[in-house]
Amino acid sequence: MGLLSLIRGLKKKEGEARILVLGLDNAGKTTILRTLSDEDITTITPTQGFNIKSLSRDGFNLKIWDIGGQKSIRPYWRNYFDQTDALIYVIDSADRKRLDEAEFELNELLQEEKMNGVPLLIFANKQDLVGAAPPDEIATKLDLPAIRDRPWQIQACSATQGTGLKEGMEWLMKQVK
Amino acid sequence: KKKAERKITIALLGLDNAGKTTLLNALKGEVEADTTPTFGFNTSTLQDGKYTIEVFDLGGGKSIRSVWSRYLAEVHGIVYVVDAADAQRFEESKKVLAEVLENQYMRDKPIAVFANKQDLPTASSPAEVVKGLGMAACRNTHNVVPCTAKSNAGEPVDPRLREGLRWLIGYVDREYSRLDPRVKTEAEEVRVEEALKKKEREERLKRQREERLRQQEEEAARAREVEKDNELHDGMAPSLAAAAAAGL
């Protein structure tokens, strides 16, 4: 049974919760989404080089895509930012070399007007790997303590082992009011 | 004499499971809300008379508490929560509190220590908490308040929570003209310093990207050269073959 149905009861609001799942390529977003739901994920490609996976289930609407890469597709992001209830940002905790890049991209996202005040959940993924950076190190590297305009939570997890995902989603659902 | 409205910022600190988020919810009048462990940052605003109190609710787990230091320049005071029923963790709590107090931005700032979970049979008295946390060595003005942050549905919130907060606010209020300008200055210093570091990281990243792009272009150029050579060679091959066939 997928995690989404397990945490369904936590959601108070009627209708859908719109959640964006973003992160650099190879962070583990698709694996997280697979673990959250048993369903196949539909893939839509609205524009060249901009691949979005979408999942709608149990009152949740999750959309995921890779950020970074081509600058030219950036303007298309904004089409998906409307009425976002929460943002999940996935980090490959073992890829320390790309933490600067992850910080940079997150920063760009948080500066988007439509993202104002949107709760932020960081999944510090791949904690099962040797050499994975701990949550506090990632929080510092991503400069999360500079954030004052929204609640944030960093959740250590391993999408392949299924650990930490439920805890992260429970926090997220409390923020979606 | 009526004073102007004042804004006070405090941080809610203490080990994981001490009851920080529950205590904050109780102060907000949300007694029934269940909590999940905090591994990050949440901000709440409380109103108490003419005071607007912004509270930073920070996670207390071992894997997240190192971020606390980044908030200390911005606060006027600390609410430090201890699970009074868990004496086994007093030593750890003492160490963590001592680290906070060593921070350069904590000088002369007041601390309200809440000896929480007094409803539990194993709860230590405030005097025992004072001893367990080594408060005698604490140079900051402090007050240890016994309390029960969690209350059952229908029961009123423990009035000692509000009283403890009032003590803290009262201290900050008396010292406001000295404390607030300092908080503003130091918070700005930290903000500028961190923004500078961030800019350096971004510039380093930009350089790395440019270097990577340059390498890719070089490789592409080399690949084109090789291809051209091959084409040249392929183009020559038939004539060479013809020459060979002609026995030259």
Side-chain angles (χ1 to χ4, degrees), chain A residues 13-29:
Chain A
K13 199 178 85 170
E14 289 298 310
E16 280 194 335
R18 290 174 56 104
I19 299 163
L20 294 180
V21 186
L22 305 178
L24 301 180
D25 53 286
N26 200 41
K29 297 180 292 299

Side-chain angles (χ1 to χ4, degrees), chain B residues 17-225:
Chain B
N17 202 41
K20 297 181 289 299
T21 305
T22 304
L23 190 143
L24 180 59
N25 285 341
L27 282 169
K28 288 192 289 185
E30 296 168 11
V31 289
E32 281 166 87
D34 270 337
T35 65
T36 46
T38 307
F39 285 100
F41 164 84
N42 213 332
T43 177
S44 288
T45 306
L46 302 172
Q47 201 69 37
D48 198 304
K50 63 176 178 289
Y51 310 105
T52 303
I53 308 147
E54 187 176 25
V55 184
F56 293 163
D57 183 11
L58 304 170
K62 214 186 173 83
S63 66
I64 194 67
R65 64 175 85 116
S66 70
V67 305
W68 291 356
S69 62
R70 273 286 298 279
Y71 298 88
L72 298 179
E74 277 166 76
V75 304
H76 296 81
I78 298 280
V79 167
Y80 193 81
V81 188
V82 182
D83 179 351
D86 192 359
Q88 285 189 339
R89 293 189 77 188
F90 283 180
E91 195 57 38
E92 185 187 359
S93 195
K94 176 186 175 179
K95 228 177 105 191
V96 165
L97 177 61
E99 261 171 47
V100 170
L101 298 180
E102 270 170 27
N103 187 287
Q104 56 169 323
Y105 298 115
M106 279 308 295
R107 188 176 42 87
D108 297 335
K109 291 180 181 175
I111 302 137
V113 177
F114 282 97
N116 191 24
K117 308 198 188 180
Q118 291 293 325
D119 54 319
L120 300 181
T122 55
S124 298
S125 68
E128 286 166 322
V129 171
V130 164
K131 191 166 175 283
L133 261 56
M135 296 307 291
C138 172
R139 275 170 301 182
N140 296 63
T141 301
H142 58 275
N143 186 16
V144 181
V145 185
C147 71
T148 303
K150 197 173 191 157
S151 56
N152 298 314
E155 283 176 12
V157 170
D158 187 345
R160 292 175 293 187
L161 299 178
R162 201 41 95 160
E163 283 162 23
L165 184 70
R166 286 223 169 100
W167 171 84
L168 189 73
I169 301 311
Y171 181 92
V172 172
D173 186 50
R174 284 192 300 280
E175 300 288 324
Y176 202 76
S177 58
R178 183 184 56 82
L179 195 53
D180 190 59
R182 187 188 128 201
V183 166
K184 285 201 172 89
T185 309
E186 291 179 346
E188 181 62 12
E189 273 170 21
V190 170
R191 202 191 60 72
V192 168
E193 196 183 314
E194 292 298 331
L196 206 71
K197 279 194 221 160
K198 195 184 190 104
K199 209 172 153 67
E200 278 171 17
R201 286 198 298 275
E202 279 181 10
E203 269 160 20
R204 192 171 67 214
L205 180 70
K206 225 173 105 184
R207 280 199 303 275
Q208 280 170 0
R209 276 188 172 166
E210 278 163 7
E211 176 65 13
R212 201 162 57 221
L213 214 67
R214 200 181 55 77
Q215 279 176 2
Q216 278 169 2
E217 271 167 18
E218 272 179 17
E219 269 167 39
R222 269 202 298 279
R224 277 196 301 273
E225 283 295 320

Side-chain angles (χ1 to χ4, degrees), chain A residues 13-115:
Chain A
K13 199 178 85 170
E14 289 298 310
E16 280 194 335
R18 290 174 56 104
I19 299 163
L20 294 180
V21 186
L22 305 178
L24 301 180
D25 53 286
N26 200 41
K29 297 180 292 299
T30 310
T31 316
I32 285 176
L33 220 60
R34 284 225 176 88
T35 316
L36 288 175
S37 164
D38 315 314
E39 278 181 23
D40 276 345
I41 298 154
T42 48
T43 304
I44 48 171
T45 309
T47 185
Q48 193 71 38
F50 190 38
N51 183 30
I52 293 187
K53 296 192 180 80
S54 180
L55 169 75
S56 212
R57 181 181 169 166
D58 288 324
F60 295 91
N61 184 314
L62 291 97
K63 290 200 189 305
I64 65 166
W65 69 83
D66 293 330
I67 55 168
Q70 306 110 300
K71 287 260 192 294
S72 58
I73 59 167
R74 285 261 169 91
Y76 295 99
W77 290 3
R78 294 185 178 87
N79 300 334
Y80 293 85
F81 288 169
D82 276 330
Q83 290 149 358
T84 299
D85 292 304
L87 173 63
I88 299 178
Y89 195 70
V90 186
I91 301 283
D92 177 350
S93 311
D95 195 354
R96 289 169 192 247
K97 278 187 204 149
R98 292 186 76 192
L99 283 177
D100 273 347
E101 196 182 345
E103 180 201 352
F104 181 80
E105 299 297 348
L106 176 62
N107 210 28
E108 299 267 299
L109 274 171
L110 297 184
Q111 279 169 12
E112 289 284 341
E113 203 178 312
K114 283 174 178 172
M115 285 292 175

